[in-house]
Amino acid sequence: MEPVVVVAVLSVVLGALIAFIFFRNYLLKQRSEVQTIAKPELHSEPKKQSKPPQSISKKSHPKSHSHASDKDSNKRHHPLDLNTLKGHADSVAGLCFSPDGHNLATACADGVVRVYKLEDASSKSFKFLRINLPAGGHPLAVAFSDDAYSIVVASQAMSGCSLYMYQEERPKTTNDPKQQTKLPLPQIKWEHHKIHDKQEILTLTGATASYGTGDGSTIIASCAEGTDIILWHGRTGKVLGHVDTNQLKNNMATISPNGRFLAAAAFTADVKVWEIVYSKDGAVKEVVKAMQLKGHKENTGQRIHFTIYKVFSLLFMSAVTWLCFSPNSEQIITASKDGSIRIWNINVRYHLDEDPKTLKVFQIPLHDSSGSALHYDRLSLSPDGKILATTHGDITWITWSPKPIPLGNERVVVLATASVDKKVKLWLAPPVNSS
């Protein structure tokens, strides 16, 4: 028995030694990888010395196409690349054009909201309002309210999420050129704190209540990373409605252009749509469930067969990542992790249990190195409904100008994109064949 005991003891000791060496090498490797990933941050572009903090200021912004250096002139630009809005000190998380298209608001992780005055898309400099949020707040998203002088900002702080509505005084007409160049300082008109149970706000979108008896005011939808969505009155900050998607986790939500429908993309393959019902006086009466878009499927080429995780894996691989409405509010376009885009007709009599119909299905032409299908992260449809802009990767937000904006002696429709590279770019809409 003693030799057996000796062998057993030696086996345990050797096993422990091998395990120690294995985990030591593994931890060293992980540590090395973390250090390797962190190195690029140490060599990032140094920040310029900033002026003393101000709540709001006016600055000019240099155009990206400046020929100040040979390096810039040697860069190749896409033929549709109009301009680059620099000046952000961190990743830009949100964008929004004003209803007239003349202002573009950006939400940056540096804690500042900037409202650019787009007098000419090809300008070498842009005036902008600099709005510093209350201490500790970081802007997540922005949405204009009733006009170009009112903007709603979603902010994240240690205590949770907040909404602020800033309103800029309309400039007074004067013959003094110096007075005309002064930009009035926006003031906070309303604010709400610790909303969405302190969960992060993913999207903030607005639409004009023009359907039926809607009074024409702006309705704002804030979508949290949990399952809840809140509707707000843009001008007063009053809560108009609250819905729960009951789909584990939201990806985004948006309101149709006419203010009739609210739709949400979440963790599952189904899209839920609610109708915003207006009373005779134009106010929001209630928000009721209208329909559900069913059709996206799990990616059968990537099924996971582990029993415990199978259901959640299939749900994850079929989740709808983004959606957008058509300009007439009668269609919805959805992008899913099943590798497809679907166009839906929602102009149906859902009160009579008529289901929305799939009009067309497109396979997303993106694949990874192993040949597996990739998905689009964001969608945005041009105001005329002819051009669908899509993103995959580091683009954090995309949005079209609702109306043509000045470009020299002409007016053009522009697509704005934000990214983790601290830049906001303006793109010219490509020509579209009439056929």
Side-chain angles (χ1 to χ4, degrees):
M1 293 296 293
E2 291 182 358
V4 174
V5 173
V6 172
V7 171
V9 171
L10 288 176
S11 298
V12 172
V13 173
L14 289 175
L17 182 60
I18 292 172
F20 172 78
I21 295 174
F22 173 80
F23 282 108
R24 179 177 179 274
N25 291 337
Y26 173 79
L27 292 174
L28 289 175
K29 181 180 179 182
Q30 291 293 98
R31 184 178 179 183
S32 175
E33 290 177 355
V34 171
Q35 291 176 346
T36 302
I37 294 173
K39 283 183 180 179
E41 295 182 0
L42 299 177
H43 301 286
S44 61
E45 182 180 355
K47 297 182 179 179
K48 295 182 180 179
Q49 184 174 0
S50 59
K51 295 182 179 180
Q54 299 177 357
S55 60
I56 303 170
S57 64
K58 177 186 73 177
K59 293 188 178 183
S60 293
H61 157 72
K63 183 184 173 184
S64 67
H65 297 304
S66 171
H67 299 285
S69 68
D70 294 336
K71 181 178 179 181
D72 288 337
S73 61
N74 290 333
K75 288 183 178 179
R76 286 189 176 182
H77 292 284
H78 192 281
L80 300 179
D81 186 355
L82 285 181
N83 219 327
T84 301
L85 309 185
K86 295 181 180 178
H88 301 91
D90 210 327
S91 173
V92 181
L95 294 173
C96 186
F97 278 100
S98 61
D100 60 7
H102 291 169
N103 292 347
L104 178 62
T106 66
C108 183
D110 62 7
V112 179
V113 171
R114 297 167 176 84
V115 183
Y116 291 86
K117 308 297 180 178
L118 303 181
E119 297 176 354
D120 190 324
S122 63
S123 176
K124 292 184 178 180
S125 64
F126 297 95
K127 296 176 184 177
F128 68 88
L129 289 175
R130 176 188 173 101
I131 305 176
N132 291 331
L133 297 185
H138 300 280
L140 301 172
V142 288
F144 277 92
S145 185
D146 289 350
D147 52 37
Y149 303 97
S150 305
I151 184 171
V152 180
V153 180
S155 172
Q156 174 77 41
M158 293 294 294
S159 59
C161 278
S162 301
L163 284 185
Y164 300 93
M165 198 279 266
Y166 289 88
Q167 190 169 61
E168 174 187 352
E169 297 297 328
R170 295 177 182 271
K172 298 179 180 180
T173 303
T174 175
N175 294 326
D176 186 352
K178 293 183 179 179
Q179 292 295 329
Q180 290 179 353
T181 59
K182 291 184 178 180
L183 299 176
L185 304 181
Q187 302 295 325
I188 297 177
K189 296 300 181 181
W190 58 260
E191 55 189 293
H192 291 277
H193 303 285
K194 297 182 180 180
I195 60 176
H196 291 291
D197 295 327
K198 298 184 179 182
Q199 293 178 332
E200 182 177 340
I201 293 177
L202 300 177
T203 58
L204 189 71
T205 57
T208 302
S210 59
Y211 178 79
T213 58
D215 59 8
S217 60
T218 298
I219 299 176
I220 305 290
S222 61
C223 175
E225 62 182 348
T227 62
D228 63 319
I229 302 169
I230 303 177
L231 295 181
W232 311 82
H233 190 272
R235 186 175 65 255
T236 65
K238 178 183 177 181
V239 175
L240 302 178
H242 185 286
V243 300
D244 191 327
T245 61
N246 292 311
Q247 290 178 295
L248 298 179
K249 181 183 182 299
N250 294 335
N251 287 332
M252 57 83 64
T254 189
I255 305 175
S256 61
N258 63 1
R260 182 185 181 187
F261 292 116
L262 168 69
F267 189 75
T268 69
D270 301 333
V271 171
K272 293 184 178 180
V273 182
W274 296 263
E275 181 174 7
I276 303 171
V277 181
Y278 299 94
S279 58
K280 292 182 179 180
D281 62 0
V284 173
K285 180 181 179 181
E286 58 182 342
V287 183
V288 297
K289 187 175 180 180
M291 65 191 84
Q292 203 160 334
L293 310 183
K294 294 177 175 287
H296 285 291
K297 302 176 182 178
E298 72 272 11
N299 191 334
T300 56
Q302 299 181 16
R303 292 196 180 201
I304 297 178
H305 296 285
F306 296 108
T307 304
I308 297 177
Y309 301 106
K310 182 175 181 180
V311 174
F312 290 100
S313 298
L314 296 182
L315 286 174
F316 177 76
M317 286 188 279
S318 59
V320 175
T321 56
W322 210 262
L323 64 86
C324 61
F325 284 90
S326 62
N328 64 5
S329 302
E330 295 182 357
Q331 289 87 37
I332 288 180
I333 303 176
T334 58
S336 169
K337 289 187 177 180
D338 67 3
S340 72
I341 291 178
R342 285 178 176 260
I343 302 177
W344 308 79
N345 174 30
I346 61 170
N347 186 24
V348 297
R349 296 172 295 179
Y350 71 88
H351 300 92
L352 302 177
D353 294 330
E354 185 176 345
D355 293 328
K357 300 175 178 60
T358 300
L359 300 178
K360 204 159 189 177
V361 180
F362 300 92
Q363 293 304 311
I364 297 176
L366 295 178
H367 298 84
D368 59 18
S369 57
S370 64
S372 300
L374 298 176
H375 62 272
Y376 288 137
D377 299 316
R378 284 168 176 77
L379 308 174
S380 185
L381 192 61
S382 61
D384 60 4
K386 295 181 179 180
I387 305 173
L388 179 66
T390 63
T391 72
H392 177 80
D394 294 334
I395 302 298
T396 56
W397 199 266
I398 56 174
T399 184
W400 291 91
S401 59
K403 296 180 180 179
I405 64 176
L407 178 66
N409 296 325
E410 58 181 334
R411 302 182 73 85
V412 297
V413 175
V414 170
L415 176 71
T417 61
S419 176
V420 296
D421 63 1
K422 310 176 186 178
K423 297 178 182 178
V424 172
K425 296 190 72 67
L426 302 180
W427 306 86
L428 179 66
V432 178
N433 295 330
S434 58
S435 59

